[in-house]
Amino acid sequence: MKIVVIGTGYVGLVTGTCFADSGNDVVCVDVNADKIAMLNRGEIPIYEPGLADLVVRNRAAGRLRFTTDVSECVSQAQIVFLAVGTPMDEDGSADLTGIWGAADSIAPYLASETVVVCKSTVPVGTNRRLLERFQALLGREVRVASNPEFLKEGCAIADFTKPDRVVVGVESEDVGDLMRELYKPFLRTEHPLLVMGLESAEMTKYVANCMLATKISFINEMANLAECVGADINDVRKGIGHDQRIGFQFLFPGVGYGGSCFPKDVKALIHTAREHGMMPELLDSVDEVNRRQKSVLFRKLNEYFTGDLEGKTVAIWGLAFKPRTDDIREAPALTLIDQLLEAGANVRAHDPVAMDNVSRQYEERIELFIHQYEALNDADVLVICTEWNEYRSPDFGEIRSRLRDSVIFDGRNLFDPKQMKKQGFFYSGIGIVPVENAMQASSTAPDLATN
Ligand code: NAD
């Protein structure tokens, strides 16, 4: 099929590349001329494992092209995907400027049989507004479908090519059939393509992300309580996970969720609920618990240094909002950095792939190191914000020799507290009481009501 993808970010580039790899003729379009120039030089503007090889292979085969010019490709397309960003607006709603901009730019070139498929995460009702917009612009009907994307940054290729399910919202059966044909190469096992109405498809994406965010905020709140009562959240997690109704997935305590999706999607669904006169109490709490959890490491550091972080040096391992991506949007590490700088501390940091993005944002205000151990030199403590694999089995002797004090605050519970004590570290995780205090409630546990 001839496909055009508008928006060449994490979702658009992966979508276009994977469809090209299954034999389609794909053109990816972006308004960002620098991005398109990079792609045309064979450079990949984002870090996503496996993506570069696929882009190179499909460009070489002539199935994948990049351009800033919609007029040269849209008129021949059978399907035009919209994969532009839908960031959070000031009032928490989704900012749809990119969607309307993209729709207006393609409208004059749409052939009568072309289907416009919205892959961006958009509030319920947006696809219907797209239908109305095309009708108003062209004086005729344009077929529109909703096809929300569920890929995860860091394993986007595998998620796209082996999806748990594909969700498609349509107005007519033939569009559902077209989408089934397009996705056939990726659905050879039992995984379904679910065809439903436009509104249901749009809502499915938000409900999925809000459910996952709810799990994270739930386990984080329980982790904070575990610290108060002297329990170990890792044991509790195992204790509940074996119950098949609960399971283990997405129940790891940490420093709060970040990234370009959960924070904005939770806020957008809250906004939608309010617009309909509902009080989304559960989602409000999920959002608020997460806001507090992003400060958990600062709170612990502040207590450790008895409120005086001025002039202290903090080494941070992990800046991306999660491993295997360079995405730092809403990353908890950035919340910590801001709080530390505000308190007068110095920050030395390392991340395997996100340092360019962080450096653009902080410039000279923090120091970044290519080697993870160099970030530790003369630092008072090490703080772990992202669970990159290279941090899981570090050389503890090397850590001890470089830090001023053998102190680790671990926002991802990577290590065994007993082993850490044996190695001579003061070790503080999330939802675990430091070993010397393990049998009694922590006197420094956070005030759950106010933090
Ligand atoms: P992104 O910010 O990485 O990329 C968006 C791209 O769209 C940018 O390159 C931008 O220049 C381009 N763009 C904006 N307006 C345009 C226009 N009018 N014409 C052409 N290009 C335009 O965004 P993303 O992370 O790929 O997310 C895209 C959508 O997919 C969002 O709605 C997001 O919520 C959703 N989503 C993202 C993920 C993820 O993990 N990143 C996963 C699932 C769904």
Side-chain angles (χ1 to χ4, degrees):
M1 285 187 209
K2 286 192 183 306
I3 294 172
V4 168
V5 182
I6 311 286
T8 312
Y10 288 88
V11 167
L13 188 54
V14 170
T15 299
T17 306
C18 290
F19 281 140
D21 203 50
S22 58
N24 297 290
D25 179 351
V26 179
V27 182
C28 290
V29 183
D30 206 290
V31 284
N32 184 332
D34 292 341
K35 210 176 243 191
I36 294 300
M38 274 182 91
L39 286 160
N40 279 328
R41 288 195 301 269
E43 298 165 23
I44 310 296
I46 54 170
Y47 174 83
E48 181 59 48
L51 183 58
D53 287 350
L54 274 189
V55 171
V56 168
R57 178 143 51 84
N58 284 286
R59 270 188 81 219
R63 290 190 294 262
L64 181 62
R65 290 192 297 119
F66 300 99
T67 179
T68 53
D69 184 3
V70 282
S71 71
E72 68 162 74
C73 52
V74 169
S75 57
Q76 289 113 53
Q78 287 160 277
I79 302 179
V80 179
F81 279 94
L82 304 184
V84 300
T86 50
M88 198 194 312
D89 215 337
E90 278 165 13
D91 61 358
S93 64
D95 177 350
L96 297 178
T97 313
I99 292 287
W100 306 137
D104 293 354
S105 71
I106 61 170
Y109 310 102
L110 288 172
S112 56
E113 66 282 7
T114 306
V115 179
V116 176
V117 180
C118 185
K119 208 166 229 329
S120 301
T121 304
V122 291
V124 178
T126 306
N127 276 277
R128 207 159 288 288
R129 287 173 66 196
L130 263 179
L131 280 171
E132 290 161 8
R133 198 168 181 109
F134 286 130
Q135 179 76 47
L137 285 170
L138 303 178
R140 66 171 171 85
E141 201 178 304
V142 170
R143 292 183 302 167
V144 166
S146 164
N147 173 218
E149 182 50 55
F150 298 95
L151 63 76
K152 301 182 289 296
E153 287 175 21
C155 45
I157 305 289
D159 285 346
F160 195 92
T161 53
K162 297 186 190 72
D164 297 331
R165 80 305 201 188
V166 173
V167 170
V168 177
V170 295
E171 288 273 274
S172 60
E173 234 174 73
D174 58 329
V175 175
D177 292 343
L178 182 73
M179 296 301 283
R180 190 167 282 112
E181 188 60 30
L182 177 64
Y183 275 103
K184 207 159 75 183
F186 308 126
L187 294 169
R188 280 174 304 168
T189 46
E190 295 307 307
H191 297 179
L193 181 136
L194 304 168
V195 179
M196 54 186 82
L198 294 176
E199 287 77 10
S200 304
E202 291 167 328
M203 186 164 172
T204 298
K205 173 64 192 176
Y206 281 102
V207 174
N209 275 359
C210 286
M211 180 69 210
L212 295 169
T214 301
K215 286 179 104 174
I216 295 174
S217 279
F218 174 77
I219 199 68
N220 283 337
E221 187 161 83
M222 293 305 108
N224 294 342
L225 182 58
E227 286 181 29
C228 292
V229 300
D232 182 332
I233 196 66
N234 290 326
D235 290 337
V236 174
R237 198 181 63 77
K238 288 177 204 149
I240 62 170
H242 285 286
D243 183 331
Q244 287 184 7
R245 294 167 303 175
I246 299 174
F248 287 101
Q249 290 210 345
F250 252 73
L251 284 173
F252 289 93
V255 289
Y257 57 78
S260 65
C261 291
F262 288 1
K264 81 171 171 64
D265 291 350
V266 169
K267 284 219 163 61
L269 199 57
I270 288 173
H271 192 270
T272 300
R274 289 230 161 82
E275 275 183 335
H276 287 80
M278 264 186 68
M279 292 264 285
E281 288 161 15
L282 181 59
L283 292 180
D284 273 337
S285 300
V286 167
D287 184 43
E288 177 56 19
V289 168
N290 193 59
R291 189 190 63 75
R292 273 190 245 148
Q293 196 67 12
K294 286 171 90 172
S295 297
V296 71
L297 287 172
F298 180 76
R299 208 166 56 222
K300 284 170 185 263
L301 284 165
N302 205 38
E303 272 166 18
Y304 180 80
F305 289 111
T306 57
D308 184 15
L309 276 153
E310 177 87 41
K312 299 290 185 303
T313 300
V314 176
I316 299 178
W317 277 1
L319 301 167
F321 85 93
K322 67 174 185 177
R324 294 165 64 84
T325 181
D326 61 349
D327 198 340
I328 57 167
R329 291 178 277 189
E330 307 269 341
L334 304 196
T335 306
L336 176 64
I337 292 173
D338 291 341
Q339 291 168 323
L340 288 171
L341 294 178
E342 174 79 22
N346 308 306
V347 175
R348 300 166 64 86
H350 171 269
D351 187 281
V353 299
M355 290 201 293
D356 284 349
N357 287 338
V358 172
S359 155
R360 271 193 285 278
Q361 193 161 323
Y362 286 90
E363 296 179 337
E364 309 297 307
R365 291 185 294 144
I366 66 172
E367 288 183 276
L368 296 166
F369 296 88
I370 289 168
H371 300 291
Q372 69 192 70
Y373 293 104
E374 273 179 33
L376 308 180
N377 292 348
D378 294 324
D380 293 287
V381 296
L382 165 62
V383 180
I384 299 172
C385 286
T386 316
E387 67 277 33
W388 283 96
N389 263 347
E390 41 266 77
Y391 303 151
R392 287 181 183 274
S393 300
D395 181 338
F396 288 110
E398 189 77 34
I399 295 178
R400 251 197 325 267
S401 71
R402 290 180 185 245
L403 285 177
R404 283 202 190 118
D405 291 316
S406 302
V407 179
I408 299 180
F409 286 87
D410 180 357
R412 300 293 179 176
N413 289 352
L414 298 187
F415 312 128
D416 176 356
K418 291 195 188 79
Q419 289 299 327
M420 296 306 288
K421 181 158 165 51
K422 261 195 212 153
Q423 300 249 21
F425 282 94
F426 171 87
Y427 177 71
S428 169
I430 304 291
I432 45 178
V433 179
V435 169
E436 54 273 22
N437 305 331
M439 300 309 287
Q440 65 194 49
S442 164
S443 58
T444 59
D447 176 344
L448 293 182
T450 57
N451 279 288

